[in-house]
Amino acid sequence: MRPHRFRPAGALKGRIRVPGDKSISHRSIMLGALAVGETRVTGLLEGEDVLATAAAMRAMGAQVERTGDGAWSVHGVGVGALLQPQGPLDMGNSGTSTRLLMGLVASHPITATFVGDASLSKRPMGRVIDPLSTMGASFEATVSPKGSQTLPLILKGAYPAVPIRYRLPMASAQVKSAILLAGLNTPGITTVVEPIPTRDHSERMLRGFGADLSVETDADGARVISIRGEAELKPQTIEVPGDPSSAAFFIVAALVVPGSEVLIENVGLNPTRAGIVEVLRQMGGSIEELNPREVGGEPVADLLVRHSALKGIAIDPSIVPSMVDEFPALFVAAALADGVTTTTGLEELRVKESDRISVMAAALCAAGATVIEQEDGLVITGTGGEPLAGTAGAIATHLDHRIAMSMAVAGLVSRTGVEVDDVRPIATSFPTFQSMLEGLGA
């Protein structure tokens, strides 16, 4: 455990560039490993989660090498040519790595054992196991005390796998992506029906690598995504935009710390990911987009964020899929806003790295916020801009990087500071978070 107390230190001023988008970083390594030839990636997020993906692809035959700061070279083996890994694939804390790689392996004639840390080993995998089993893969999973299927698990791929048409029972980009990745090496056409749109990085990048993928809208308004199997992927040059999930902490910090003005460069603003910006603007946040452009098929801009008087709002649950990972940071903004902020439709947050509804409620209450926990969200009555009291002891982060970073931001707008029990998990997604915060004056 490495506890740390985050204290108020005045206005945040300056210019920063957050690490590369985690979702795009994962997918660039995976798809590069399935393309024949060399894929070059710049701006890759070098956090522990993405490094777990890189190690897994190496274990299955790809050459994945770091060539510089954020620069990586991937020599792929081709679709259908993944090798049998010689040992377990250690996914660390990365749910994205686990679920997407389960999809990749499911349609290859290999057997892989997936393991992870204590936090990841509690997370449900049945949502991916169900459709991949229908495609022909077989699983031996651990059964949790609550009856869900978890890591460690053994996956035996099907060859040939069976194409399916699968309607997502919940909004999940990871489940969608796992099925599409399995479909890459499956004869025929594999289709995912998505009633509620989720982040579309997989679709964009699969097309970029040359997969035959189509997206249509059915009579009910659902997205119908189809991929033709036995694909031949072509190597790419990828520039990874800044991660909006990482930028969210600095956006919120600049909005709530009086006198702050921060320019966050090169932030990915894919509309399936940028819900946090829209909601904070609805709350009165000053977030200006400068130099809007497109990088590698993804919309990008520099964000100029200024301290703002935020107001509480009722957040439309339809926006949840586009900002599901950013709610811990949003809860901090709500705690400093004027009035009541109501969130609903957040059941998915209970099965993240931690139960983010319950853990954030406890952490914010410990810091002096007024929070009511409900089954599917939080009701937060803000201070109207007045600082939070701060914590007497350390708040429990439950090995969750987003809890630690969110409460770090809360500490900047408190009287006595906020102590988190362990800052080590921050390295899974944002190794330079603390130094970047200090560089802005915090």
Side-chain angles (χ1 to χ4, degrees):
M1 302 280 277
R2 201 166 85 224
H4 185 85
R5 181 168 286 271
F6 293 88
R7 303 177 184 275
L12 306 178
K13 300 281 188 179
R15 174 191 298 255
I16 59 172
R17 180 175 286 236
V18 298
D21 184 286
K22 187 162 69 161
S23 297
I24 297 173
S25 294
H26 280 304
R27 289 160 174 81
S28 65
I29 295 289
M30 291 181 194
L31 294 182
L34 293 176
V36 177
E38 183 186 18
T39 290
R40 293 182 175 273
V41 186
T42 57
L44 189 89
L45 170 62
E46 295 177 336
E48 292 172 0
D49 284 8
V50 176
L51 298 183
T53 292
M57 299 319 299
R58 281 193 204 100
M60 290 187 284
Q63 295 179 36
V64 186
E65 299 173 347
R66 186 178 189 269
T67 58
D69 187 15
W72 289 67
S73 170
V74 184
H75 287 269
V77 295
V79 173
L82 293 178
L83 301 180
Q84 173 76 40
Q86 296 305 302
L89 301 177
D90 188 348
M91 299 289 95
N93 189 239
S94 180
T96 301
S97 302
T98 307
R99 293 184 178 123
L100 269 60
L101 286 172
M102 285 166 64
L104 273 188
V105 171
S107 58
H108 282 75
I110 59 178
T111 299
T113 300
F114 290 83
V115 299
D117 68 9
S119 171
L120 179 61
S121 297
K122 295 176 183 176
R123 297 180 68 179
M125 296 297 153
R127 59 184 62 180
V128 179
I129 289 173
D130 290 346
L132 296 181
S133 296
T134 307
M135 297 181 77
S138 60
F139 296 84
E140 295 177 31
T142 302
V143 179
S144 75
K146 295 182 179 179
S148 60
Q149 295 170 291
T150 63
L151 302 188
L153 67 76
I154 300 171
L155 190 171
K156 185 175 182 180
Y159 188 74
V162 179
I164 62 172
R165 181 183 179 93
Y166 187 77
R167 186 178 182 90
L168 293 176
M170 68 186 76
S172 174
Q174 291 180 359
V175 177
K176 170 180 67 177
S177 299
I179 298 167
L180 294 175
L181 291 173
L184 273 176
N185 196 42
T186 299
I189 295 176
T190 297
T191 299
V192 180
V193 181
E194 185 177 56
I196 301 171
T198 64
R199 59 185 64 176
D200 65 354
H201 302 304
S202 292
E203 296 95 304
R204 289 173 185 254
M205 195 171 287
L206 281 163
R207 276 181 176 151
F209 273 87
D212 183 354
L213 181 141
S214 66
V215 181
E216 299 173 348
T217 303
D218 69 12
D220 297 325
R223 295 176 79 236
V224 180
I225 307 142
S226 298
I227 188 166
R228 185 178 296 278
E230 300 177 302
E232 291 186 17
L233 302 187
K234 300 175 178 62
Q236 301 295 305
T237 299
I238 298 169
E239 183 180 346
V240 182
D243 195 323
S245 297
S246 296
F249 301 106
F250 289 93
I251 295 172
V252 170
L255 290 174
V256 299
V257 176
S260 296
E261 181 172 303
V262 176
L263 182 68
I264 310 172
E265 298 177 334
N266 194 49
V267 180
L269 293 177
N270 183 309
T272 64
R273 288 287 303 285
I276 183 70
V277 174
E278 181 180 337
V279 168
L280 288 170
R281 283 175 174 154
Q282 291 172 7
M283 295 174 72
S286 174
I287 307 171
E288 187 179 350
E289 293 179 27
L290 306 178
N291 189 23
R293 55 203 183 272
E294 192 168 284
V295 175
E298 295 276 346
V300 170
D302 305 327
L303 300 181
L304 181 62
V305 189
R306 299 182 178 92
H307 172 247
S308 305
L310 301 180
K311 62 181 185 296
I313 62 171
I315 297 173
D316 185 344
S318 68
I319 205 169
V320 170
S322 69
M323 57 176 291
V324 67
D325 288 329
E326 288 73 72
F327 272 96
L330 182 82
F331 293 152
V332 175
L336 278 299
D338 181 21
V340 178
T341 296
T342 304
T343 60
T344 55
L346 304 185
E347 297 92 343
E348 176 70 12
L349 267 64
R350 292 200 182 275
V351 291
K352 289 289 188 178
E353 283 84 336
S354 68
D355 177 343
R356 287 178 175 165
I357 294 177
S358 181
V359 173
M360 279 302 295
L364 286 170
C365 285
T370 303
V371 182
I372 299 172
E373 179 180 347
Q374 299 183 324
E375 187 58 36
D376 65 342
L378 298 180
V379 179
I380 302 174
T381 302
T383 64
E386 290 298 310
L388 297 169
T391 61
I395 60 102
T397 57
H398 296 268
L399 299 174
D400 192 326
H401 54 128
R402 299 201 194 281
I403 303 294
M405 289 186 280
S406 297
M407 295 312 296
V409 173
L412 304 181
V413 279
S414 66
R415 292 190 178 90
T416 61
V418 169
E419 184 174 345
V420 302
D421 63 353
D422 196 355
V423 295
R424 292 175 305 164
I426 292 173
T428 64
S429 68
F430 202 160
T432 58
F433 172 77
Q434 285 178 259
S435 61
M436 201 170 282
L437 207 55
E438 290 164 3
L440 292 173

